[in-house]
Amino acid sequence: MADAAGHEGGEREEAETWARAAVSDHGSDDDDDEEEPALRYKRVGGDVAGLLEKDTASALVASERFLVVGTHWGNVVVADFEGNEARRWRAHSAAVNSVSVDASGEYVGSAGDDGRVVVQGLCGGADDVAIVSYSRPMRAVALDPQYGATRRFAAGGAAGEVVLHEKKRWLGRSDTILYTTGGGGPIQAIQWRGALIAWACDEGVQIYSTEHGARISHIARPPGSPRADLYCCRLHWAAPHTLVVGWANVVQVVALREPPAAQPGAPPLHAEVSVVFRTDFVVCGVALHRGGFLVFSYGDGSAVDLDPESGSGSRTAAAAPPELRIIDRNIEEESSDILPLEGFPLLQANDYGLAAGGGGGSGDDNDTWFLLSPKQLVAVRRRGLADHVRWLAERGRHAQALADVEDAYAGRGAWAGCGDQITAGDYRAVGEAQARALMDAGAWGEAAAVCARVLPRGDGGGAREAWEAWVFAFAEAGALDAIAGSIPTDAPRLAATVYEMVLALLLATDVPRFARMVREWPPALYSAYSVVLAAEDRLAGEDRLAGEDRLAAQDRLAAGDAAELRAAVALLYDRLNQPAKALRFHLELHAPGILARVRRECLFDALRDKAALVLRYDDRTLGHTPAAPAPLAARCAAEGAQLLVDHVDAIPPAAVVRQLVAAPEHLHVYLHALRARDAHLGAPFADLQAELYAEFDPGRLLGFLRASTYYSLERALEICEERALVPEMVYVLGRMGDNHRALMLIIDRLRDVPRAIEFAKEQADPDLWRDLAAYARDKPAFIVALLELGGTHTSPTAVLRAIPPSLRVPGIRRALAAVLHDHHLQADLCAGCCRVLAGDCAALADALRRIRHSALPVDAAQPCLACQQPLAAACALAFWCGHVFHDRCVLLPDVQAKTLLPALAPGAAARRAPHAPRAQQRLLIQAKLDRSLLIRQYAPACPVCAAAAAAAAASAREDRGPGSGWSPSERRDVVASGSPPGHAAELPPIQDLRI
């Protein structure tokens, strides 16, 4: 295998040497102007090369599957295109002049100088052979394309006859002479295509139709041509009706067409020479190539004698190497490749040949040809995309090579449809070469784009290793950011180190790209925890720089970059399932719906240290700015403020206040919202809240002072004095009991007489009225206001007496009239009230009398609530609460003895009978009433009600706890009723009671 590879490499090197020689023959020495070869050459090696080391090739034909070579020793060899022999036989005893293959590739015919034509079957055994002997050397043979069915071939030679040989099934073999030169020289070449046979002799080219059994055309040899035996004719069927003819230095293209009007006896086709041109070289083979011509040439005018009158040899000097030329349709030479074939100085034109085949047929679209020389066979192919790319790469033109490959893959450009000629590995190699060239030139972005296109994808095939190698190459070159956006995240997935390295670089150099990569890359690619810590360190560094001198401002992030970085950190913490840490950055970024997420996911504990961020979030939501402030009510009703005050158990007010001390405006909003929810929650911060009201909303301070009782009066007075808030100072002084000072503030600072009078009314302090009267004695406006507004709180007489005699008081008449009117009105009101009160007293006294005179029905069988015995057996005692007892069960014996009247004694029971006289009944009722009056003097209490009251009092003392003392109501009850059982008569001092 190594020898074969080395041999193939040597052939490639030799072919490239021929191509370079061809270019330098008519091109420039400058590499930039060097023209790319159009063809690719490869020596046919293998067994054929070994054979030609001893023998020499004399004839060649190529089919779509194999080559057939005839040698001067009479051998016929069938080999593949690489030269590997498939079959060989000795068909002739002399040189083989011509070989032919049928269309199926199953039969091979050969003609030799021994006068024989041999047709050998390739699929049958050794007996599948037909041998026909003629008396003269045979120069040409052509098998019928359908030889397997017709068993026909055409042959010709030195006899100057073209014989159509046919083997018939029942009649044996027959030869039909199609043409005789009549002394015009031998038959030089025969070619069979379809139903047409073309042959060449000294007279010209004849075309015969087997379908019609007649010759249909004759093309004469061009005038002035050299001797035909020195430069034999070359025939090539380029199409079913197109024949290319090469005569020495003349090329003709013959087209067979149907005549415009059919005439009786006229041939069905007639030939027209559509193209003819003369060259300065000898044509050794010709074929059509992409609308032009592919010509295998020998020598030129200086090395070859083309004089038709010359009768000597054709060489005037040592032979030059042959050339393979491409001539376009305008008969302009496109390229010429010099081919230094083995032994070329000793060879003549008739020693060379050109055979078309190898998959493209013999038409214009053929892409493979074979060159014949006695000691060497060369395969010629159109240069494919792989050859084109290799040629460009050798010259450092990697960009063009990559562009052509990608165009081929996309089906566009000159190489459209050739994408299958380049493997994925070749494409990658071309792309990597271009990427290395771009990196050497410093074009990092373009190099990264090339890598993104050419580096392999997928989990296998070394894709991961290739990508990692290139990423590290960019990192070593300091251009990692260029390829960062092209790094694959799946199929293949690279090592986590690669992704972390890229993110670390972007974090330091390009924060927006870092944020974009964090959003686009799945978190499983890298250690999100390490990345988020690095990002937080960067933000912390920014915060430190913000507090330093302005010289460091150039190293700080732009506002947009900082926001991008915070968004990335928040996303990373969310991916790490740490929403509490992500919450801070969402609040800083004013992320929509973040507070709703806090409620939904119950993240209230996470807000414990983020109160300032929450209130700033509210300000941005409301559009609050110093130039356009939002109303305090709206700020307190905002979502963030309500979140803080609704969850004071998770977010203690003390923690919020500590955070907001540095932001007093936000603290004012929070405490106001807290007070609106529950005034007791803000009690510890009442002094601070008073100061905040005085600073940011003085109009609400007085209402706060009136509603709250938790603030310090002294501190409130200091706050009001610092800001000269007189109404609030007046109220605080009133609360402190300094009414005189408060009144003086109203009078001196506010100069508001009605307010001073109203203040005096509120305080109900006679001294204030005397102060007002003394202050007003020499102030007419004040005197009039006191008279009009003082009402019953001041004495108009005292005010009038204090007026100096010389003082004029404008409006005093109106004030006096109002005072008199108020006096009469007050007198009328008092008289009416007295009448109403007297009537009400009379009505209530009558109702009480009726109630007291009404009887309480008692059933004799009703039991006593103390002893549970019937009431009929003894005197009963009924209370207004409805409870009835025996008198002996309630009254003490001495009280019972003192209150028992003779009429109610036991001996007088007969008088209580129902049949007693009416006078006795009246006497009994009077005795009962008298006894009731006596008993009331001892103020007996209902035992049931007294027990219930004592139980309630004991329960209340237990609820207040031990040592809570007596309540004032209990003290009064005990004093009024005496010491209850179990209690000492002596009560604790009133100052020790807990109210």
Side-chain angles (χ1 to χ4, degrees):
M1 293 296 292
D3 294 341
H7 186 60
E8 182 179 353
E11 290 177 346
R12 178 178 298 173
E13 181 179 357
E14 180 183 6
E16 294 299 332
T17 303
W18 294 339
R20 285 194 294 271
V23 172
S24 63
D25 183 58
H26 61 277
S28 171
D29 293 336
D30 191 354
D31 290 342
D32 294 338
D33 298 333
E34 184 178 359
E35 184 177 352
E36 180 183 359
L39 302 172
R40 178 166 57 93
Y41 302 91
K42 181 181 180 182
R43 180 183 178 183
V44 178
D47 300 327
V48 171
L51 175 65
L52 296 183
E53 290 179 359
K54 300 177 181 180
D55 201 351
T56 56
S58 59
L60 174 68
V61 69
S63 72
E64 294 185 358
R65 293 181 296 166
F66 53 82
L67 297 175
V68 179
V69 182
T71 71
H72 283 88
W73 288 3
N75 293 316
V76 177
V77 180
V78 177
D80 62 15
F81 297 136
E82 301 299 325
N84 300 312
E85 183 180 305
R87 190 169 179 181
R88 184 200 301 185
W89 65 91
R90 186 174 176 83
H92 304 273
S93 58
V96 178
N97 294 322
S98 177
V99 290
S100 178
V101 182
D102 70 337
S104 64
E106 296 180 358
Y107 294 91
V108 175
S110 60
D113 282 346
D114 59 358
R116 297 200 310 171
V117 174
V118 179
V119 179
Q120 177 69 50
L122 300 179
C123 298
D127 296 337
D128 188 10
V129 60
I131 302 175
V132 181
S133 297
Y134 296 95
S135 59
R136 301 287 298 276
M138 301 303 290
R139 298 286 184 87
V141 65
L143 298 183
D144 186 344
Q146 306 300 323
Y147 180 84
T150 63
R151 300 287 175 166
R152 295 187 301 179
F153 64 81
E161 295 177 347
V162 177
V163 179
L164 180 63
H165 177 85
E166 183 175 6
K167 180 180 179 181
K168 298 183 179 179
R169 184 181 298 244
W170 305 109
L171 301 177
R173 300 180 180 182
S174 65
D175 289 335
T176 302
I177 299 176
L178 301 181
Y179 176 76
T180 302
T181 61
I187 303 299
Q188 300 177 6
I190 301 176
Q191 294 290 328
W192 194 331
R193 177 73 177 266
L196 300 175
I197 304 174
W199 62 81
C201 61
D202 291 351
E203 297 175 356
V205 176
Q206 312 291 329
I207 300 176
Y208 179 86
S209 174
T210 59
E211 181 180 0
H212 298 86
R215 282 189 298 147
I216 60 176
S217 181
H218 167 72
I219 299 94
R221 189 161 66 100
S225 298
R227 287 170 47 187
D229 59 338
L230 297 178
Y231 307 109
C232 63
C233 181
R234 313 291 177 155
L235 299 178
H236 171 66
W237 282 107
H241 289 170
T242 302
L243 179 66
V244 182
V245 181
W247 279 106
N249 62 338
V250 177
V251 177
Q252 297 174 323
V253 178
V254 179
L256 299 177
R257 296 184 176 89
E258 295 181 358
Q263 298 178 1
L269 298 172
H270 71 280
E272 295 180 359
V273 179
S274 59
V275 178
V276 60
F277 61 91
R278 190 177 296 273
T279 67
D280 58 355
F281 48 79
V282 176
V283 177
C284 300
V286 63
L288 295 184
H289 171 70
R290 296 186 178 181
F293 300 90
L294 183 68
V295 180
F296 189 26
S297 65
Y298 170 79
D300 52 28
S302 61
V304 178
D305 183 8
L306 298 176
D307 186 1
E309 302 299 331
S310 174
S312 60
S314 63
R315 280 190 305 166
T316 60
E323 299 182 33
L324 191 61
R325 305 171 187 264
I326 297 178
I327 300 174
D328 63 15
R329 64 185 63 191
N330 297 322
I331 319 302
E332 297 289 340
E333 185 176 293
E334 291 184 353
S335 67
S336 175
D337 296 339
I338 300 174
L339 307 176
L341 300 177
E342 184 178 350
F344 70 86
L346 303 176
L347 301 179
Q348 298 182 12
N350 289 346
D351 295 327
Y352 298 108
L354 173 66
S362 59
D364 188 16
D365 59 347
N366 187 64
D367 60 356
T368 305
W369 302 267
F370 294 90
L371 303 180
L372 169 67
S373 71
K375 302 299 289 183
Q376 197 173 27
L377 299 182
V378 177
V380 181
R381 292 180 175 86
R382 293 177 181 174
R383 289 179 66 85
L385 181 58
D387 303 304
H388 172 68
V389 169
R390 189 181 305 111
W391 186 85
L392 292 173
E394 290 175 353
R395 286 150 184 81
R397 297 163 63 178
H398 305 292
Q400 182 63 40
L402 181 61
D404 290 344
V405 172
E406 292 177 342
D407 287 347
Y409 281 160
R412 60 176 181 266
W415 297 100
C418 300
D420 56 347
Q421 299 179 15
I422 294 291
T423 65
D426 295 336
Y427 177 50
R428 172 184 167 185
V430 172
E432 288 184 335
Q434 171 64 3
R436 282 190 290 270
L438 291 171
M439 289 184 68
D440 293 340
W444 314 112
E446 297 178 19
V450 170
C451 289
R453 298 199 306 269
V454 304
L455 289 182
R457 301 283 181 165
D459 294 327
R464 172 176 175 173
E465 293 75 10
W467 272 100
E468 290 179 354
W470 274 100
V471 170
F472 284 114
F474 274 86
E476 292 176 0
L480 185 59
D481 58 329
I483 199 173
S486 304
I487 296 177
T489 58
D490 188 21
R493 175 177 292 185
L494 309 186
T497 306
V498 174
Y499 300 105
E500 292 173 6
M501 177 177 63
V502 172
L503 290 176
L505 174 68
L506 295 180
L507 178 61
T509 59
D510 193 346
V511 170
R513 287 192 65 191
F514 167 81
R516 187 170 68 252
M517 292 296 101
V518 168
R519 290 192 299 269
E520 295 176 356
W521 283 357
L525 296 178
Y526 52 88
S527 173
Y529 188 72
S530 300
V531 174
V532 77
L533 288 181
E536 279 198 299
D537 288 343
R538 181 70 193 276
L539 287 174
E542 291 300 315
D543 295 338
R544 287 193 300 270
L545 286 174
E548 296 177 0
D549 57 323
R550 299 182 61 86
L551 295 177
Q554 59 183 357
D555 298 327
R556 294 173 58 188
L557 288 174
D561 292 352
E564 290 272 5
L565 187 54
R566 286 184 172 87
V569 172
L571 178 60
L572 287 171
Y573 272 128
D574 283 334
R575 288 174 174 177
L576 289 170
N577 197 23
Q578 297 184 19
K581 293 185 178 180
L583 187 59
R584 166 198 164 191
F585 300 98
H586 285 307
L587 290 172
E588 290 177 348
L589 294 170
H590 192 249
I594 186 60
L595 296 181
R597 176 186 172 187
V598 171
R599 290 184 182 273
R600 185 172 60 253
E601 300 180 10
C602 297
L603 301 176
F604 309 114
D605 289 337
L607 289 182
R608 186 188 296 266
D609 59 344
K610 300 177 181 64
L613 292 176
V614 171
L615 294 179
R616 283 201 294 268
Y617 182 94
D618 284 346
D619 288 349
R620 291 189 60 183
T621 302
L622 297 173
H624 171 79
T625 61
L632 179 61
R635 297 178 71 182
C636 293
E639 187 177 9
Q642 290 299 309
L643 192 66
L644 294 176
V645 302
D646 287 347
H647 301 87
V648 293
D649 50 347
I651 312 171
V656 176
V657 170
R658 281 195 298 271
Q659 297 174 57
L660 299 180
V661 167
E665 186 176 2
H666 286 156
L667 181 58
H668 168 57
V669 173
Y670 171 74
L671 290 178
H672 184 76
L674 190 66
R675 174 171 170 261
R677 179 170 181 79
D678 189 347
H680 301 291
L681 294 175
F685 320 107
D687 292 343
L688 180 59
Q689 190 168 10
E691 185 174 0
L692 292 172
Y693 274 123
E695 180 69 24
F696 297 104
D697 198 353
R700 298 177 185 269
L701 177 58
L702 185 57
F704 170 75
L705 296 176
R706 291 180 182 276
S708 176
T709 59
Y710 300 110
Y711 58 88
S712 168
L713 295 175
E714 292 78 7
R715 178 57 185 159
L717 182 60
E718 291 178 8
I719 293 170
C720 297
E721 288 177 344
E722 290 174 358
R723 294 165 178 79
L725 301 176
V726 177
E728 290 77 6
M729 293 170 61
V730 170
Y731 176 78
V732 173
L733 289 171
R735 287 279 306 274
M736 297 174 69
D738 196 349
N739 295 330
H740 177 75
R741 183 180 173 189
L743 182 64
M744 290 301 101
L745 283 175
I746 297 175
I747 296 173
D748 295 338
R749 301 281 293 275
L750 297 180
R751 298 187 181 277
D752 189 348
V753 177
R755 185 163 186 170
I757 296 173
E758 186 67 25
F759 178 76
K761 290 180 180 179
E762 292 176 357
Q763 301 301 322
D765 187 355
D767 293 338
L768 292 181
W769 291 108
R770 286 192 292 271
D771 293 340
L772 280 175
Y775 181 82
R777 61 186 302 275
D778 56 350
K779 298 175 178 59
F782 216 108
I783 294 173
V784 173
L786 275 177
L787 293 175
E788 291 179 346
L789 303 176
T792 59
H793 297 280
T794 183
S795 172
T797 304
V799 174
L800 293 174
R801 287 177 178 174
I803 299 175
S806 60
L807 181 66
R808 291 179 56 83
V809 182
I812 194 171
R813 179 179 297 179
R814 183 185 70 254
L816 290 175
V819 169
L820 293 175
H821 179 270
D822 291 343
H823 175 74
H824 292 302
L825 181 61
Q826 185 175 7
D828 292 341
L829 288 175
C830 289
C833 290
C834 289
R835 288 192 296 272
V836 171
L837 180 60
D840 291 343
C841 291
L844 293 174
D846 184 63
L848 179 62
R849 181 177 54 79
R850 286 196 302 272
I851 292 173
R852 292 299 179 92
H853 287 181
S854 62
L856 181 66
V858 177
D859 188 0
Q862 181 177 349
C864 171
L865 294 179
C867 64
Q868 302 300 322
Q869 297 295 324
L871 298 176
C875 292
L877 192 64
F879 294 90
W880 290 110
C881 59
H883 299 141
V884 181
F885 303 88
H886 291 133
D887 56 355
R888 65 177 180 271
C889 294
V890 176
L891 299 178
L892 295 175
D894 55 343
V895 176
Q896 184 177 4
K898 292 179 181 179
T899 59
L900 182 62
L901 298 179
L904 298 176
R911 295 193 299 269
R912 295 196 295 270
H915 57 272
R918 185 176 183 85
Q920 292 181 357
Q921 289 292 336
R922 284 199 301 269
L923 180 61
L924 178 61
I925 292 173
Q926 184 62 43
K928 289 180 179 181
L929 292 176
D930 295 339
R931 188 167 185 257
S932 297
L933 293 176
L934 292 175
I935 291 174
R936 286 178 184 174
Q937 295 178 2
Y938 296 95
C942 173
V944 175
C945 294
S955 176
R957 283 195 297 273
E958 290 178 0
D959 293 340
R960 287 195 299 270
S964 59
W966 294 78
S967 68
S969 61
E970 292 172 337
R971 184 181 182 91
R972 288 193 299 270
D973 293 342
V974 171
V975 172
S977 60
S979 298
H983 290 78
E986 198 65 35
L987 296 178
I990 191 65
Q991 60 268 23
D992 294 338
L993 297 181
R994 295 185 180 180
I995 301 175

